[in-house]
Structures are given as structure tokens and as C-alpha cells.
Amino acid sequence: MTAWVTVGTSLEDSRKAIELAGQYENLYAAVGIHPHDAKAADSRALEELRGLARQEKVVAIGETGLDFHYNFSQQPDQKRVFEAHLEIAREIGLPAVIHSREAFDETMEILDRCGGGLKGVVFHCFSGSAEQAHMVLDRGYFVSFTGVVTFKNAEVTRQAAQAVPLDRLMIETDCPYMSPEPVRSRKPNEPALMLHTAQFLAQLKGIGVDALAAATTQTATDFFGLSEPEMP
Ligand SMILES: [Zn+2]
């Protein structure tokens, strides 16, 4: 099957994601408030998110997590909102899409403390080390790679990708960011360019691109609980 999950990063984005998912059979939505905007996520906003999460075709909560690179929101706010997202995910029975940047230890601490009973967890746009990937895998979580894995200076991320078995590995765009090589400097990212990431990862793992595509599709389909389209 062919399907996409479009990911929200704010209430407005999340509403748009749901609206789009309603228009296309194979498009699904994730809803969340990005850690960058955690400062604005008061109890009313989180209540609205809870409502959006219950809508049809919403298959995950996210992006949620911690970003200590930019610190656009204070760290206590980021932690509060991350924990609230995990609570909503557990309550509704949806997996969580995690954004973690320069905050790996703190992200794991919150997941260890608040992540029990979650349907699933995926670290999106993973750029950590193989050791960190193992810590994620040990907890039964999943790892998703973007065009970053193709970047010349991303040897650490490549070692992480080697460490992740295909039944725990997904690929994504993170578009419009993270365009893969060889088009990195030429084009904003879009789903069509994910072929470059897939080809690169297939070569890294020593398998054909079709095998990699089939495996990552199966992993993502199971993780997000995407239903097979009905036969006409
Ligand atoms: Zn992200």
C-alpha cells in the first residue's frame, strides 16, 4: 500500500492536517504542538488538542518532545507540554512521534517516567548515535530517518541507521527541511525526494531499494495502524 502521515506542529497545522487527511484516502494525520511552541500551550490549547486527537484519520500524537537547541520555549514549559502529549496519547491509544534535539537524556527520562502504556513511540528525524539508537530500541521504540542520513558529515547518524533493524526503522521527509543528497542544496524537501533517502539506506544495509521500501512501509503501516484501502 501507499500511504502518508502528515504531521502537525501547532493547533492550526494539526487542524489543516486533519482537513487534508479527510480529502485523500491514503493520507493520515498526526496532531501535536511542537516543543518550540510549548510556551503557548496552556490547558485550553491542550484540551483542544485532545479533541483533535479523537478525530477520524488521526493516527498519532506529535510532533512532541524537547528541543534544547533553539530553546524557543523555556525548558520547564517544554517538559510540561511533552508530558501532557504523552498523557493524551495514552488516553486515546495513539502512538507518539517524538522530536528530540540536544535533549536526548531528558527526553528518555520523561519517556521512562511517563511513557508507560503508550501504543508506540518513534523518534523522528533521528540524528543520534548508535548507542542512543540502542537505548531507544531497548525500550521497544522505533527510529525514523530523514535525508540527514545522506549528509556528508552525518557518519554518526549512519552508524545509528546500521544499528536499527528494518522492523523498527521508518523513513520520512521532515519536509520542507532535510532534503537528501544529491539534491540537498538544490531543492526544498518533498515526499518524491524520499527515494534518495531510501536508496541510500538500502545501500547502507546491503539490500535492494524495493526490499527496503517494502520493509519500511510494513513497519510504518503496523506502527500507525493504517488500514488497507478497501478493494473496489
Ligand atoms: Zn521535528
Side-chain angles (χ1 to χ4, degrees), residues 115-155:
L118 285 174
K119 186 168 175 254
V121 171
V122 60
F123 275 65
H124 113 91
C125 195
F126 194 78
S127 55
S129 64
E131 190 190 345
Q132 289 173 335
H134 278 299
M135 290 170 73
V136 168
L137 295 170
D138 283 347
R139 286 160 174 79
Y141 302 157
F142 291 69
V143 185
S144 181
F145 293 94
T146 61
V148 168
V149 77
T150 70
F151 294 177
K152 287 187 180 64
N153 62 356
E155 190 49 38

Side-chain angles (χ1 to χ4, degrees), residues 24-178:
Y24 299 94
E25 189 183 13
N26 291 348
L27 185 66
Y28 298 84
V31 297
I33 300 169
H34 197 279
H36 288 340
D37 297 322
K39 57 180 175 294
D42 56 12
S43 56
R44 219 172 109 182
L46 290 165
E47 221 25 69
E48 189 173 347
L49 181 70
R50 182 176 263 109
L52 292 178
R54 291 191 183 280
Q55 300 221 11
E56 217 179 312
K57 295 195 83 178
V58 173
V59 294
I61 298 295
E63 297 183 27
T64 183
L66 303 173
D67 193 314
F68 295 174
H69 178 74
Y70 289 111
N71 282 314
F72 286 152
S73 287
Q74 300 277 332
Q75 295 184 2
D77 265 335
Q78 293 193 37
K79 290 181 176 177
R80 168 183 62 83
V81 172
F82 182 23
E83 289 177 23
H85 276 66
L86 295 180
E87 195 183 305
I88 293 170
R90 180 170 39 248
E91 181 188 306
I92 302 179
L94 292 174
V97 177
I98 308 296
H99 172 106
S100 178
R101 186 156 184 204
E102 290 175 29
F104 184 78
D105 293 344
E106 293 86 349
T107 302
M108 292 306 262
E109 188 274 321
I110 288 177
L111 282 167
D112 285 347
R113 187 161 44 80
C114 310
L118 285 174
K119 186 168 175 254
V121 171
V122 60
F123 275 65
H124 113 91
C125 195
F126 194 78
S127 55
S129 64
E131 190 190 345
Q132 289 173 335
H134 278 299
M135 290 170 73
V136 168
L137 295 170
D138 283 347
R139 286 160 174 79
Y141 302 157
F142 291 69
V143 185
S144 181
F145 293 94
T146 61
V148 168
V149 77
T150 70
F151 294 177
K152 287 187 180 64
N153 62 356
E155 190 49 38
V156 166
T157 306
R158 277 188 282 284
Q159 286 167 6
Q162 292 276 31
V164 180
L166 286 172
D167 62 355
R168 299 281 199 91
L169 186 150
M170 293 182 231
I171 52 177
E172 60 173 316
T173 58
D174 203 23
C175 61
Y177 313 110
M178 309 301 175

